[in-house]
Every structure is written in structure tokens, then in C-alpha cells.
Amino acid sequence: MRIWLRDGPHCKGCAKLIDITPGTPDPFELDHTVPLWRGGKDADHNRQCLCPDCHADKTAREAQERAREP
């Protein structure tokens, strides 16, 4: 909730309105801006709110990047 309050009620990826109410049709995903596997910190400054679509896209891109790394 701290991150949602800090950044406002919009997805950092697409600016879609996102909500924190349980069961909402416009939920959000808490995301690490720099993934933990890339050395990102598990701290508020490395977190952002994304809509489910943007989170899924970012997760897929990161999985492809990670698969290419030795």
C-alpha cells in the first residue's frame, strides 16, 4: 500500500487506473523495478505498481533475459 500511495493510483507501465481494493476489476501487481536476480534490492525504492497486463509482459521479458544469461 505504501508504494501505491507513493506513486498514485496508476500503473507505472501504461498509466491505467489501478485499485488496491480486494476483488477489484482493476487490481495491481507489486513489482521490483530491477529484478532481485539482477541485484535489485527488496526495498521500497525498487518497487512499483503495475497493472496485471504490464506485469505479465515485464515478467516474460525478464524471463527471456534471464534464460540468455550464462
Side-chain angles (χ1 to χ4, degrees), residues 48-65:
Q48 63 183 349
C49 292
L50 297 176
C51 71
D53 291 336
C54 286
H55 187 256
D57 291 346
K58 183 175 182 280
T59 300
R61 283 192 314 271
E62 290 171 351
Q64 290 175 347
E65 290 172 14

Side-chain angles (χ1 to χ4, degrees), residues 1-21 26-30 44 47-51:
M1 185 167 186
R2 288 187 314 274
I3 308 308
W4 187 84
L5 290 170
R6 177 194 73 194
D7 294 344
H10 294 92
C11 172
K12 288 299 233 182
C14 69
K16 177 182 176 182
L17 184 65
I18 51 178
D19 196 349
I20 61 170
T21 308
D26 298 311
F28 76 94
E29 299 283 341
L30 188 60
D44 286 359
R47 293 183 182 133
Q48 63 183 349
C49 292
L50 297 176
C51 71

